[in-house]
Amino acid sequence: MSERVLFLLLCLNVVSYLVIAETQTCPADLGGKCADDSGDWEGEFFPGIPEVKYEGPSSKNPLAYKWYNAEEVILGKKMKDWLRFSVAFWHTFRGTGVDPFGAPTKFWPWEDGTNSLAMAKRRMRANFEFINKLGVDRWCFHDRDVAPDGNTLEETNANLDEVVALAKELQGSKIRPLWGTAQLFVHPRYMHGGATSSELGVYAYAAAQVKKAIEVTHYLGGENYVFWGGREGYQTLLNTDMERELDHLARFLEAAVAYKKKIGFNGTFLIEPKPQEPTKHQYDWDVATTTNFLRKYGLIDEFKLNVECNHATLSGHSCHHELETARINGLLGNIDANTGDPQIGWDTDQFLTDISEATLVMLSVIRNGGLAPGGFNFDAKLRRESTEVEDLFIGHIVGMDTLARGLRNAAKLIEDGTLSELVRKRYSSFDSQLGAQIEAGKADFDLLEKKAMEWGEPKVPSAKQELAEMIFQSAL
Ligand code: XLS
Ligand code: NI
Ligand code: NI
């Protein structure tokens, strides 16, 4: 495939879940619902779909949980508190199924084909009915997913205020945003990035947009705020002053921290690493790169990381590697729960259905003592070919059950203790006087040389890799 076609594929994939509502049409068999353009239409959006309940592993009901039992206690904590699930507004309510070769495939009955304010409000009602029926307590959004742009920034902010006021009412006392964020990548003004744009006016506009997005997240009681790099990166270094762009990004984040403090927003700021897409090289490449950036600019105490599994594999790591790298640096804040396809090289954002991967993910989460105030956001979209409203529920149910199963398996492994015993033994030579001296930074090269000569050739034990894999498998 030519580079041009590949680039087009990458670009289109990024926008595939965004505002492409214009091409939607209203199915003929939906009667009054489509015709009614009032945002205050309050009918049932998912008739015939009951509240999703736990029925246990033997259930054959596609609209029931088989492994996720919210109130069940695992390792001293309720499953719902380990998992803190969240629905992503953009995939669930703005995803159309468009792909590089084809038009949208999803025509939800409540959509009228417009990006109007009335439509935004109706969609918000659908969102909360969905969340309530699924039985989760959290949702995530970008500013521009939930409300349409106006002609000026003031008008756009007013649109956002109107939709967010409705969202606040619909949230009730139970539902809150896990996080909010600003969409700094769809509009053409952001073609060179937001905080790293070469154009000063764009930097200022991005700042104004993020300021507003932090305000509405705060107003809705959001627990975190996410910075995903959007188009913060470069296509070629030939025309890019990388040092200046990174300095600008740091200044932008510093200003965001100052503003958060000014308005008393106590949510955690999270950066979401991603290696490429839409730019060839995104500045927040992976957890280690982002950690280095935060340390260099003295921002390490103000941020944590939102690790997305599909981004992890795009950067050539496993999700487990990225989670562990974040955890050992004290930066594991949230997980965008999705997965890529081993044969497609983009951010396909599929629901995680691999039990073994979910078990590794949950091992990290347990070792981290949980994720709160972060959680698991389903940054995941239905496959293009899954086109029924019911599929929206099934996608989330299978994603939740997979992580619930991962939690159960990880707990089994931890309670069994054989794997941690294998790891403990592997390093036991360091549980000695010299080992303690080394680990305390008190063994110099003279001392080590003396020991090496005294001991002669060391005996190197087996790594027991297959045994570790065998033990892991026994928990699945
Ligand atoms: C895109 C990102 C995006 C962030 C929120 O690849 O995953 O969806 O999570 O802006
Ligand atoms: Ni994400
Ligand atoms: Ni992503």
Side-chain angles (χ1 to χ4, degrees):
M1 199 181 315
S2 82
E3 267 179 46
R4 230 178 118 216
V5 173
L6 188 63
F7 180 60
L8 187 72
L9 291 176
L10 292 174
C11 290
L12 286 172
N13 177 58
V14 168
V15 297
S16 64
Y17 55 81
L18 301 168
V19 191
I20 314 188
E22 284 74 25
T23 47
Q24 292 195 0
T25 50
C26 192
D29 59 351
L30 292 159
K33 282 186 207 167
C34 263
D36 181 359
D37 64 357
S38 153
D40 294 320
W41 184 77
E42 290 181 34
E44 198 178 356
F45 293 90
F46 305 99
I49 300 203
E51 279 181 20
V52 181
K53 296 264 184 273
Y54 173 70
E55 290 184 3
S58 61
S59 170
K60 295 266 181 284
N61 176 4
L63 293 174
Y65 297 118
K66 284 99 193 153
W67 303 93
Y68 177 60
N69 188 11
E71 299 294 325
E72 189 179 328
V73 173
I74 307 258
L75 293 178
K77 216 188 279 205
K78 287 182 180 175
M79 289 186 101
K80 66 175 188 189
D81 296 329
W82 279 118
L83 295 162
R84 297 171 55 84
F85 288 127
S86 151
V87 170
F89 191 92
W90 56 99
H91 287 307
T92 309
F93 290 97
R94 305 311 304 270
T96 62
V98 73
D99 86 357
F101 300 95
T105 57
K106 300 181 212 309
F107 304 99
W108 307 131
W110 54 87
E111 291 287 334
D112 64 7
T114 71
N115 191 18
S116 68
L117 199 50
M119 187 59 244
K121 290 202 220 164
R122 195 182 319 153
R123 202 181 281 128
M124 194 52 79
R125 290 188 188 279
N127 175 48
F128 283 100
E129 186 185 321
F130 182 79
I131 291 176
N132 276 304
K133 285 193 165 167
L134 206 57
V136 303
D137 299 336
R138 294 174 181 83
W139 66 299
C140 289
F141 64 97
H142 297 90
D143 48 2
R144 300 296 177 262
D145 316 324
V146 296
D149 273 313
N151 291 320
T152 60
L153 186 55
E154 289 87 339
E155 241 180 74
T156 304
N157 285 349
N159 287 349
L160 186 57
D161 284 337
E162 207 170 318
V163 180
V164 158
L166 175 67
K168 180 149 178 152
E169 182 193 319
L170 297 171
Q171 280 189 159
S173 57
K174 200 180 94 183
I175 301 171
R176 292 286 176 272
L178 178 64
W179 48 263
T181 188
Q183 188 203 73
L184 303 180
F185 44 93
V186 171
H187 195 282
R189 83 173 67 86
Y190 293 124
M191 68 179 166
H192 308 303
T196 63
S197 173
S198 47
E199 184 55 44
L200 173 68
V202 176
Y203 183 99
Y205 203 105
Q209 199 180 320
V210 168
K211 173 179 178 288
K212 182 71 184 171
I214 295 171
E215 284 165 16
V216 301
T217 304
H218 183 38
Y219 168 77
L220 289 169
E223 295 172 280
N224 304 271
Y225 181 89
V226 162
F227 295 83
W228 167 55
R231 292 181 191 273
E232 316 296 9
Y234 63 80
Q235 301 294 4
T236 171
L237 283 176
L238 293 174
N239 67 0
T240 302
D241 186 337
M242 178 156 67
E243 189 175 22
R244 205 164 179 188
E245 290 198 2
L246 285 166
D247 284 353
H248 290 177
L249 180 58
R251 299 286 97 90
F252 190 95
L253 296 174
E254 271 169 17
V257 169
Y259 189 65
K260 160 191 166 164
K261 293 183 177 163
K262 184 173 166 192
I263 63 169
F265 174 56
N266 294 323
T268 309
F269 271 0
L270 299 162
I271 296 190
E272 181 178 328
K274 184 175 184 179
Q276 66 276 126
E277 272 189 51
T279 70
K280 183 168 82 171
H281 186 112
Q282 299 277 120
Y283 287 133
D284 301 323
W285 181 272
D286 62 0
V287 168
T289 309
T290 309
T291 302
N292 179 56
F293 169 86
L294 290 172
R295 276 198 225 284
K296 174 178 174 188
Y297 289 101
L299 290 163
I300 197 94
D301 296 329
E302 304 291 352
F303 287 82
K304 288 199 169 183
L305 302 177
N306 176 29
V307 174
E308 176 165 322
C309 290
N310 203 157
H311 298 179
T313 47
L314 284 176
S315 65
H317 303 303
S318 65
C319 191
H320 196 208
H321 169 89
E322 288 293 81
L323 293 172
E324 285 296 284
T325 308
R327 185 182 70 76
I328 64 179
N329 281 288
L331 294 176
L332 179 53
N334 193 83
I335 298 178
D336 266 8
N338 63 15
T339 192
D341 184 294
Q343 285 155 284
I344 303 178
W346 345 307
D347 198 13
T348 54
D349 290 333
Q350 294 163 220
F351 283 94
L352 178 63
T353 53
D354 181 331
I355 298 158
S356 137
E357 181 162 15
T359 305
L360 295 170
V361 165
M362 291 314 302
L363 273 174
S364 286
V365 171
I366 294 171
R367 285 188 187 132
N368 200 55
L371 292 169
F376 281 94
N377 168 50
F378 283 107
D379 197 353
K381 61 184 166 215
L382 289 179
R383 301 299 77 213
R384 183 166 189 266
E385 304 79 6
S386 299
T387 56
E388 287 173 18
V389 164
E390 191 192 64
D391 296 324
L392 287 172
F393 283 87
I394 295 173
H396 284 83
I397 292 169
V398 72
M400 290 164 76
D401 266 343
T402 304
L403 284 162
R405 218 164 157 180
L407 172 61
R408 291 174 186 278
N409 294 344
K412 256 195 262 171
L413 275 170
I414 288 169
E415 276 165 349
D416 168 78
T418 320
L419 198 56
S420 52
E421 183 55 15
L422 183 146
V423 177
R424 195 198 59 76
K425 272 201 195 137
R426 190 157 181 237
Y427 296 88
S428 59
S429 65
F430 280 85
D431 300 334
S432 58
Q433 203 198 346
L434 182 60
Q437 270 174 282
I438 292 171
E439 290 179 350
K442 291 196 174 122
D444 63 18
F445 272 15
D446 291 326
L447 172 64
L448 292 168
E449 182 192 51
K450 191 169 152 259
K451 286 290 176 189
M453 286 177 173
E454 185 185 318
W455 288 338
E457 189 57 36
K459 252 177 78 189
V460 185
S462 164
K464 298 268 176 218
Q465 185 174 326
E466 293 77 5
L467 178 60
E469 277 152 4
M470 187 186 282
I471 298 166
F472 175 72
Q473 218 182 67
S474 69
L476 300 185

